[in-house]
Structures are given as C-alpha cells and as structure tokens.
Amino acid sequence: MTPRQRMLKAFDFDNPDRLPVFYHASPAGLYVHGQKLLDLFAAYPSDNPITFDEIPQPDPSAFDADGRYHELKKDPWGTVWEYRVFGIAGHPHEHAIPTREDMETYTFPLVLPCEGEAFERDRERITRLKQNYVIFEGGVSLFERLHGLRPFEDVLVDVTLGEPATMRFLDRMVEHYHRSLVRSLALGTDVVSFGDDWGTQDSLLISPRVFREVFKPRLAELIAPVKAAGRRVLYHSCGAVYPLYQDLVDLGIDVLWHQIGLYDPEAFAREAAGNRTALFLHMDRQRLIPLGTPREIRETVRRYRDIHMNLGGGAIFYVEIENDAPFENVEALVTAVHEG
C-alpha cells in the first residue's frame, strides 16, 4: 500500500493496513537531537512527502555574550516577532497594524499568480508527488492571523462588539485567502489546511455566538470552493474547542486536528466517525512526550491505534519533535506510530 493509498483509506474509514504517519520538520527538535533524529526519521519514513537532510542552526549573531538566544524577525505580513527559544514559535513584538485606523490602508502579502514558470514548476512537482502521496497545502487562518497583526485584547473587543472596521478588514482577509486558494487548487492540492486555536486549556477564547456570527460565515465562504473542487479540508484547533465541533462539521471539514488530551479518546473517536471526520492524532506534548516514560508513550499510541483501527481508520498520527523531549521518548513515539 502506498502512502497515498494509506492516507486516503484512513480519511475514508476504509481499513488502511495501518494508521498513516505525518511528520513535521520542527527545527527545535532537529537542532537539539541532531543527526540521531535524522537517522531515526530515515529509518521510519512518513506517509507525507518530507525530506530531512540537514540540521537547522540559529544565526550566531542571535546569541548574547552569555549564550542566550534572542531574535526579532519580520514575517511576510509585516509583524515583527520575538523569539527566545530557537525553533519555537515567538510572540508579536511589533504589530503590523497597531491601531484600528491602520486596517483601512493595510496591504496584504502578494499572492503568486496561477501562471508562469514558477507556477508550472510547482504544479509539475505536485503532480509528481501525487503519484505516491496526498498533498497538503494551505494555512488559512482568520482569528490567529488577526491577532498576529493587531493587539490581542483589541481583537477580542472588536470581534465581540462587531466593530465595523474590523469586520471590513476580515472581509478583505477573506478575499486575500480566496486568491491563495485559487492557486492552491489549481496546483492540484488534495487537502487544504485551515487553522485557528479557539480555546484555552478549559474554555473557549471567544463565545460560540461570536464564532457563529463573525467567523463561521467567512470560513464557509473560503471552504465552499475547496469542497466544490472535490478536495478535502483539514482544520486545526488547539484548546477546549469541543463546543464548536458541530459548527466545524457543518462547515464541511473532513479532518480535525484537535488537542487530543482535552477529549475522551474513545467517545470522541466514535462521534467523529459518525460524522465521517478523520482525526489528526498529535500525542500530548505538554506532559506525555517530554515527561512520560517510553512505555507510557507506546501504550498511549497503541490505545489510540486500537480505537481507530476498530472504526475502520479515520485517523492519522502526527509527529512533531520539540526541544524538550528526551531522545528515548522520541524513539518510542516514532517506532510506536509505525507499528501495524
């Protein structure tokens, strides 16, 4: 069974030979573990097209005289981010849109055209990879992108009150993402990824009312062309976001990447299977992966595998190695997710 066949069978609850494995190239883990992590990944290949051929390194100038890492970097959207741990997500240091008035004149990043040499090269690459792999592209984010551009507290106030300038800006953001989706679909992408973390560890960051009035209609506008093209939608959302799960089902998502430690493994797997929603299984990296034992990790992976294989599939193991996991735990995770 090829990785593509395995992934599609998992999506469709069609009894894959094992649950697929999706790797992410986290620079933090590669930097800490080095060559032995590259060797482990090479020994246990993933079911998504990814190449591990180098160990990322921070710029030497990013360290102070005492060896402490600190970098400021501007992203393509214009926000300057502050990083204190190499390879780990930073925090906004200077927002691209500091005031509400600045939203009106903000210029969105350039979207590459659906023509020309670069487009044809990308399409040929994806066509070639699709012979063996399911292709994931995208990265559509409304809420997180908004509070990356503007101060978080201001965003919460504006979306709660339905502030007109912010609503107009969100509509412009939808137009921007629509242009990027046109290109992604034209390239032949199989799965388009969306994602916003709507929750804390125990509750939502916004009310269900705000989600349904402000964000759900705009997400529906973006998801509709993906579904019309016969492609699939992956939705990522960390936190206690179960109160929005049915809304996401209504929007037509095919795969949910949730924070599994906040959901009952068996009950939610059955509910998701009833909705034909496949699940990305990202093993708990708050406690289990950095602080658990190899035996705990293997037992946890096997529990999730047994639950989902008994349902005919509907799950994909996601592996992202950070900087705080002992290598014996990393090895236990990688080997366990590849068991049949």
Side-chain angles (χ1 to χ4, degrees):
M1 188 172 292
T2 67
R4 181 177 179 86
Q5 292 169 331
R6 182 175 297 117
M7 192 78 73
L8 292 175
K9 282 182 172 291
F11 287 159
D12 294 335
F13 295 83
D14 190 23
N15 299 299
D17 56 346
R18 62 169 173 80
L19 297 184
V21 179
F22 188 108
Y23 283 164
H24 173 72
S26 171
L30 290 167
Y31 176 59
V32 168
H33 295 297
Q35 188 61 47
K36 59 186 178 181
L37 182 54
L38 292 181
D39 294 342
L40 182 63
F41 284 154
Y44 294 90
S46 70
D47 292 300
N48 63 307
I50 188 168
T51 301
F52 297 98
D53 53 11
E54 63 179 4
I55 299 167
Q57 298 288 335
D59 191 307
S61 66
F63 294 90
D64 65 18
D66 296 320
R68 291 172 298 196
Y69 170 80
H70 184 212
E71 277 193 289
L72 297 175
K73 295 181 181 179
K74 180 181 285 189
D75 70 13
W77 293 74
T79 293
V80 177
W81 295 80
E82 181 177 32
Y83 299 89
R84 291 286 184 172
V85 179
F86 177 67
I88 299 295
H91 296 275
H93 180 72
E94 295 178 12
H95 290 93
I97 308 176
T99 71
R100 186 178 292 153
E101 291 71 25
D102 294 320
M103 288 190 291
E104 302 289 353
T105 57
Y106 177 78
T107 301
F108 285 85
L110 177 69
V111 175
L112 296 175
C114 294
E115 58 185 6
E117 292 183 8
F119 175 79
E120 293 302 328
R121 283 196 303 270
D122 286 345
R123 184 160 62 177
E124 289 172 9
R125 174 182 58 85
I126 286 177
T127 299
R128 184 176 65 255
L129 289 172
K130 285 179 67 171
Q131 296 176 31
N132 289 304
Y133 297 100
V134 169
I135 305 302
F136 294 73
E137 298 280 351
V140 177
S141 169
L142 297 180
F143 182 52
E144 284 188 38
R145 179 58 63 192
L146 187 59
H147 66 70
L149 292 167
R150 298 204 58 227
F152 184 58
E153 294 85 353
D154 293 355
V155 168
L156 292 180
V157 170
D158 283 1
V159 299
T160 299
L161 298 179
E163 202 286 320
T166 299
M167 298 303 104
R168 290 194 298 271
F169 183 79
L170 279 171
D171 289 337
R172 291 178 60 209
M173 188 184 293
V174 168
E175 293 173 4
H176 166 81
Y177 278 127
H178 179 73
R179 291 192 296 273
S180 69
L181 286 173
V182 168
R183 187 176 195 274
S184 184
L185 294 173
L187 288 171
T189 299
D190 294 300
V191 182
V192 178
S193 61
F194 289 68
D196 283 297
D197 292 341
W198 295 109
T200 67
Q201 293 290 94
D202 54 16
S203 64
L204 293 170
L205 286 163
I206 63 171
S207 71
R209 176 192 66 81
V210 171
F211 177 81
R212 290 163 188 156
E213 291 181 1
V214 175
F215 294 100
K216 187 175 180 179
R218 292 174 170 90
L219 286 169
E221 188 175 339
L222 291 168
I223 289 173
V226 180
K227 303 295 290 187
R231 315 298 171 81
R232 302 174 197 254
V233 172
L234 163 67
Y235 201 94
H236 169 267
S237 193
C238 285
V241 299
Y242 179 75
L244 304 181
Y245 170 61
Q246 191 56 51
D247 292 281
L248 297 176
V249 172
D250 295 343
L251 286 167
I253 68 166
D254 301 282
V255 189
L256 177 65
W257 176 0
H258 59 311
Q259 188 174 337
I260 63 175
L262 302 181
Y263 296 72
D264 180 270
E266 193 150 2
F268 188 62
R270 288 197 301 269
E271 182 175 1
N275 289 310
R276 309 303 286 177
T277 306
L279 301 176
F280 255 42
L281 303 178
H282 188 178
M283 294 296 107
D284 170 34
R285 69 183 193 194
Q286 289 182 297
R287 192 208 68 81
L288 178 65
I289 304 304
L291 302 174
T293 66
R295 180 177 177 178
E296 284 181 281
I297 292 168
R298 286 190 291 267
E299 289 176 347
T300 302
V301 169
R302 287 166 186 158
R303 181 186 182 197
Y304 278 95
R305 176 190 298 109
D306 290 347
I307 289 170
H308 288 279
M309 290 299 283
N310 287 335
L311 292 168
I316 298 92
F317 283 120
Y318 175 88
V319 174
E320 179 177 351
I321 305 302
E322 297 295 2
N323 60 314
D324 56 355
F327 191 72
E328 57 268 26
N329 286 7
V330 174
E331 193 169 31
L333 174 64
V334 170
T335 56
V337 296
H338 281 86
E339 292 177 2

